[in-house]
Structure formats: C-alpha cells, structure tokens
Amino acid sequence: MSSSPDGHNGKLYIETVGCQMNVLDSELVVAALRKDGYELTDDPKAADTLLFNTCSVREHAEHKIYSSLGRLKYAKRTAPQKVIGVLGCMAQKDQDLIFERAPHVDIVVGTGQLAEIPRLIKETRSAEARQQQKAVSLGRRDGSVLEISSSFQSYDPLRDPEMRPTPFQAFVRIMIGCDKFCTYCVVPATRGPEQSRPPSHILSEVKVLADQGVKEICMLGQTVNSYKHTEDGRTHRLSDLMYAINEVPGIERIRFVTSYPKDMTDDLLHAVRDLPKAVKYLHAPLQHGCNDQLKLMKRGYTVEDYREMMHRIWETIPGCSVSSDFIVGFCGESEESHQLSIASIREFRFKNSFIFKYSERGGTKAASLMKDDIPEDVKKRRNNEMLAVQNEISEEDNAEFIGRRVSVLVEGQSKTAERKAARGEDASAPGDPLATQLMGRSECDRIVVFDGNPRLAGSTCEVEVHDCTGTTLIGSIVTKEVQHGSSGILPILS
Ligand code: 5AD
Ligand code: SF4
C-alpha cells in the first residue's frame, strides 16, 4: 500500500481558510510536498497526511477548523499513521492550546515556519513513539525587532500551478507581516513584523510565473502599499514594482491587495493610471465611517483623511473602482456611529464592501482594554443594514455599465455553470451546445458573466453588458483575443 520510503500513501489533503495570503501559503506548501512524492486528494479519508491552513481574524474561522479537526479524532485512532498538521495563523496564535483541544494533532506550524513542514512530517512519521511537534515564531514582545522579524521567514520557494485560483492568475507575496496594530486585529501577532521582500526576488518570481503562462499577477501584502525595500542603494516602492512588472512579457494584468488608506501615495495612483496593465481597482478598507470608532480602532486616519484620498483617486484615475472592509458592532458603537458607516457607503460608492461583525480576539488591545458590548443580534442587524445599502449602491453603479463594452479576462466557467455540471445537469448555453456560461473580470474588477466556449478561458474578450445584479455584469461576447502558446495574440472577430 505504501508508495514512499517513509511509509505514507502519498495522498495529501489540505484545507485552507482565510485570506489570499493563506491560499498562497497552501500553494507553496503543496509544491514543496510534491517534491517528496505527495499528490493531492480532496478526500480526507483517502489521505495519510492532512493539513489545515488556518485563520484567526475572526472566531468563526477558528471554530470551523476545530470542528474539522474534531471529525478526525476517530480516523486517527483507527489509522494512527495519519499525520495531522495545523498551519498558519491559528497555529501561531494558539500553539500548545491546539494540542490540548485536539490531542490527535501531530504538528503545529506557524506562518513563519512553513518551510519546515516537509521535515516535520517526515520526522513525525519516522519517530518510534508518537511525538507532537511545534514550530512557531517569537511573540511580538519576545525579543528585539530583529530577532522577532527573523523568526518569521518569508516563504516563497516553488510554485504549484494546480493550486492557483486559475492557471492564468497567480498571487505573489511582496511583503509579510503588519506593524499597524489596529486595536481589533490579531494579524500583527500571527504574521509578525512588516517585512518587504527584495524587488529582484519578486521580479524573478513574476518572470517564472509568466513563463508558466500566468497572465495576471496579484501582489499580496497585509498593507501592500506600505511596501518599501532598499536594494542597490535605491528605495523601491510599490509603484516601482508596478513599472517593472509592466515590462514582463506575457503579463497582461497587475493588481494588488490590500491597501492601507494612509499610504495611498500619488506615485502609486499615477502608476495605476499610466500603466496599461494595471487593473483600475483599489481595495482600501475604511473599516468605519465614524471618527470616534476609527480612533478606538487606532486606524491612524479620520473620515476626512479618507475622503481626501478618495478625491485624489477619483481625480487621478477616472473610472477606478474602490472596495472597502467594514467592521460593525465594534466596542461602544452607537446607533449614530453605525449610521455614519452607512452614510460612508453612500458617499464613497464602494464597488463592494466586505462587512464583518466584530469578533473579540485574545491578545489584541481591544480585547484587553475595551468591552465587546454590542449584543450579537444588534451586530447582525447592523451587518444586514450595511449589506442592503452596499447592494443598492453596487446595483446602481453596475447599471451604469448597461450598453457599454468591457474588456474581460476570462477565468473559466461561472459558478452557476460549475454547479450545474457538478450536479450532472446540462451546463451548455441555451441554443449553443459548445458554449457555457463563462465568468471573468473587467478592468475595474467587476465580475462579468456571458455565454462562450470554455476554451476562451485565459483569453481577453470584449463583452457588451446588457443586464446586471449588485454583484455581476451580464453580457454577450463581441470580440475575443486568443493567445496560442507564446506565439502572440490573434484578434478574432466574432
Ligand atoms: N473582528 C471582525 N473583523 C475583523 N477584521 C479584522 N479583525 C477583525 C475582528 N477582530 C476584518 C477587517 C479586515 C478584514 C480582513 O477582517 O475588516 O480588513
Ligand atoms: Fe490588521 Fe490593521 Fe494590519 Fe490590516 S492594517 S492587518 S487590520 S493591524
């Protein structure tokens, strides 16, 4: 049964929750384990190695992982050779608590030690007696900045095309960690101090990805526009990276998430405006529309500062869309403050907003100094009210696109078509057995669906919009550009 020298069946199951950073980390872990002979399975029962890449931003995400782990208790008892690992933010935050709550877990590996996973799995498997292993970074008060920083290693080795969002899109980490210490947020503890990667490393990774057929690069950082690295006597910022990546043949689109509003400098806005490959979209979370709440959150800006930023964006990059994150029900949030958050959605007309109910996180300033005093039902109601207003705004703004043409990078089948196909139903488009519903994104990051041949995935199409919802533009294809291998772009009129 065993297909490998150290006695595993070669089947790896990995479950990932949380942000894009975790998606990328899982891609890199899988790539490293493939070198040790593993292949992926989506069936936890079939796997001998099960990894959970975790998120700690909200309590709900942690519950999900603890329930998944709970379901494995019996499996581990009957098949003790299975290695179960908990990786990422929750591993860094909870550490030994994970072994206490789920004693059948074998390894706990923080965000800064992912490179050690292949070795830890091997050692766990070959140990004579069962031995739990832990690899985590220092806490934010456990040493000098240099010591803490170097205990969080940036992990960007091999890539794994199968684990990407699509074969044409790849995340590239440009920095790790965060030094902003918003009072509600656990990230500075779980991801460590802010550290920017050298531009030369980033650029060579982008070139490798372009050679593998990647067309869209999404640069990742917790505060991606705070990127700063000195190399060869010169300080490089995010705008410099954008100019450099714009020159890489094969790359067609460049984007970045998530921006910190205070660091939205003009050089970056000019790069987004001037570079043909730059996606005209910024994710710049406001978090709250009331200055008192922003102060309690220690966001470092006021609504007025944010307004100034929005005016600069609108003036510099006409048509640029902006999305936000909001927290509802943060400590002491009054009905009036909540109304100010709602008003901010109307004023800034976000393309979309990710709205979260405040979840108290151990170890944060808010948890130790403030009272989580908004009842759950009030948080829920406020969340729904925010969502309703955001949907109304999104639908109004999407309707502006009706009758216009947008350029779409096709990602593949739409969710609806995928679901139909998964249920074994006919997913072909009405009247065209070769077509199905496709989805992609416009240059301002709007989701667009239209009927077309699935072979268009990875190509850029002109789509005329004739309908919309709050989340989606619905259209039909006008022209398409299909890239054949690396031989260039063939424009085809339909
Ligand atoms: N509770 C709820 N939402 C949070 N976020 C970060 N920390 C918390 C928390 N403790 C939200 C913020 C952030 C997004 C990724 O998650 O809005 O931008
Ligand atoms: Fe968390 Fe604030 Fe850093 Fe974002 S900027 S990761 S919300 S501490």
Side-chain angles (χ1 to χ4, degrees):
M1 142 105 175
S2 162
S3 62
S4 102
D6 59 350
H8 62 83
N9 70 3
K11 297 262 191 292
L12 166 70
Y13 171 82
I14 187 162
E15 200 170 299
T16 307
V17 293
C19 63
Q20 294 100 329
M21 207 57 112
N22 274 11
V23 175
L24 173 59
D25 281 337
S26 290
E27 176 185 332
L28 304 175
V29 167
V30 170
L33 288 172
R34 272 194 211 277
K35 283 188 74 183
D36 284 358
Y38 285 91
E39 61 178 70
L40 274 179
T41 172
D42 50 18
D43 177 9
K45 288 198 193 81
D48 247 4
T49 306
L50 298 101
L51 301 178
F52 294 84
N53 195 1
T54 61
C55 170
S56 287
V57 167
R58 283 168 294 276
E59 199 182 7
H60 175 70
E62 296 190 340
H63 279 324
K64 239 171 101 176
I65 292 294
Y66 278 117
S67 335
S68 295
L69 290 174
R71 282 194 291 274
L72 288 176
K73 208 162 152 183
Y74 179 72
K76 174 80 178 174
R77 211 177 296 151
T78 51
Q81 81 281 5
K82 279 187 195 285
V83 173
I84 302 174
V86 175
L87 329 176
C89 288
M90 205 175 99
Q92 179 62 37
K93 176 175 152 282
D94 284 0
Q95 305 193 3
D96 290 324
L97 185 65
I98 296 175
F99 292 135
E100 281 166 37
R101 287 185 64 175
H104 51 295
V105 167
D106 298 290
I107 56 176
V108 165
V109 186
T111 54
Q113 273 71 31
L114 299 179
E116 295 180 36
I117 289 173
R119 176 181 64 78
L120 290 169
I121 293 177
K122 241 181 241 160
E123 283 176 11
T124 305
R125 194 154 264 132
S126 58
E128 294 198 348
R130 180 165 182 250
Q131 202 185 345
Q132 289 175 314
Q133 305 215 57
K134 181 180 75 176
V136 291
S137 301
L138 295 176
R140 295 287 308 240
R141 288 199 202 95
D142 294 345
S144 68
V145 174
L146 199 65
E147 284 165 337
I148 301 167
S149 295
S150 52
S151 79
F152 282 89
Q153 303 148 11
S154 179
Y155 179 55
D156 300 276
L158 304 162
R159 306 296 308 238
D160 190 88
E162 267 185 51
M163 290 286 288
R164 295 201 189 121
T166 71
F168 339 101
Q169 296 171 298
F171 295 124
V172 171
R173 192 188 334 260
I174 66 166
M175 60 195 297
I176 58 170
C178 180
D179 286 342
K180 306 294 191 224
F181 287 98
C182 301
T183 53
Y184 52 80
C185 187
V186 79
V187 168
T190 59
R191 294 251 168 210
E194 181 183 305
Q195 301 180 69
S196 293
R197 286 179 72 203
S200 54
H201 294 194
I202 295 167
L203 205 59
S204 43
E205 196 175 333
V206 169
K207 286 178 182 157
V208 168
L209 290 166
D211 285 344
Q212 292 177 359
V214 167
K215 297 181 177 179
E216 182 181 284
I217 294 291
C218 180
M219 287 185 270
L220 295 184
Q222 247 73 40
T223 55
V224 72
N225 56 338
S226 317
Y227 176 88
K228 202 171 167 187
H229 190 99
T230 304
E231 193 174 63
D232 301 330
R234 208 190 126 212
T235 299
H236 298 254
R237 310 188 57 89
L238 179 56
S239 56
D240 300 303
L241 290 180
M242 302 265 303
Y243 281 97
I245 296 175
N246 196 67
E247 296 304 311
V248 177
I251 299 301
E252 294 175 18
R253 285 189 175 183
I254 311 167
R255 54 167 70 236
F256 50 87
V257 286
T258 291
S259 292
Y260 184 64
K262 246 180 80 173
D263 291 338
M264 198 69 87
T265 49
D266 282 339
D267 60 310
L268 181 59
L269 296 186
H270 292 154
V272 173
R273 177 194 63 195
D274 296 337
L275 293 173
K277 296 180 182 177
V279 170
K280 311 305 176 211
Y281 163 68
L282 299 163
H283 178 52
L286 170 58
Q287 306 293 5
H288 211 284
C290 168
N291 281 338
D292 294 346
Q293 289 274 295
L294 287 176
K295 201 163 176 194
L296 280 181
M297 290 177 170
K298 202 171 149 279
R299 283 292 286 176
Y301 55 80
T302 59
V303 176
E304 290 71 28
D305 296 331
Y306 193 89
R307 182 173 295 122
E308 185 276 330
M309 176 202 78
M310 284 299 278
H311 283 278
R312 269 189 304 120
I313 294 173
W314 287 331
E315 277 155 27
T316 314
I317 322 162
C320 184
S321 52
V322 178
S323 65
S324 180
D325 294 354
F326 282 98
I327 296 179
V328 293
F330 185 58
C331 313
E333 186 192 54
S334 65
E335 209 50 45
E336 292 72 39
S337 332
H338 166 57
Q339 289 303 325
L340 286 170
S341 260
I342 292 190
S344 73
I345 295 186
R346 294 197 188 280
E347 176 179 357
F348 300 127
R349 303 195 74 86
F350 297 112
K351 175 179 74 78
N352 64 300
S353 290
F354 302 94
I355 301 163
F356 306 104
K357 289 179 288 175
Y358 173 57
S359 164
E360 188 176 82
R361 310 285 51 222
T364 60
K365 271 249 161 63
S368 58
L369 300 177
M370 301 170 212
K371 195 155 177 262
D372 179 13
D373 55 356
I374 308 298
E376 186 57 28
D377 57 333
V378 177
K379 288 181 182 172
K380 205 165 177 178
R381 177 194 32 95
R382 291 181 182 169
N383 192 330
N384 289 340
E385 286 173 6
M386 297 274 292
L387 270 175
V389 174
Q390 179 60 62
N391 285 343
E392 184 190 317
I393 297 290
S394 302
E395 199 165 336
E396 278 174 17
D397 285 357
N398 280 352
E400 295 284 318
F401 284 83
I402 295 175
R404 275 164 51 187
R405 287 180 182 190
V406 289
S407 175
V408 179
L409 179 64
V410 185
E411 293 179 17
Q413 279 197 327
S414 72
K415 289 242 161 63
T416 314
E418 262 174 15
R419 268 197 299 268
K420 273 192 189 166
R423 287 197 299 258
E425 294 169 18
D426 178 14
S428 63
D432 186 353
L434 289 181
T436 185
Q437 191 179 58
L438 301 177
M439 82 62 75
R441 278 171 196 271
S442 72
E443 279 164 309
C444 60
D445 198 59
R446 283 181 164 80
I447 294 172
V448 185
V449 298
F450 59 98
D451 290 342
N453 191 309
R455 289 158 71 106
L456 288 171
S459 67
T460 301
C461 294
E462 280 287 292
V463 172
E464 186 161 302
V465 179
H466 48 69
D467 200 2
C468 73
T469 68
T471 52
T472 312
L473 302 180
I474 303 156
S476 46
I477 190 164
V478 184
T479 62
K480 48 199 175 287
E481 289 177 341
V482 182
Q483 190 154 11
H484 294 286
S486 56
S487 59
I489 293 173
L490 298 178
I492 306 167
L493 280 177
S494 68

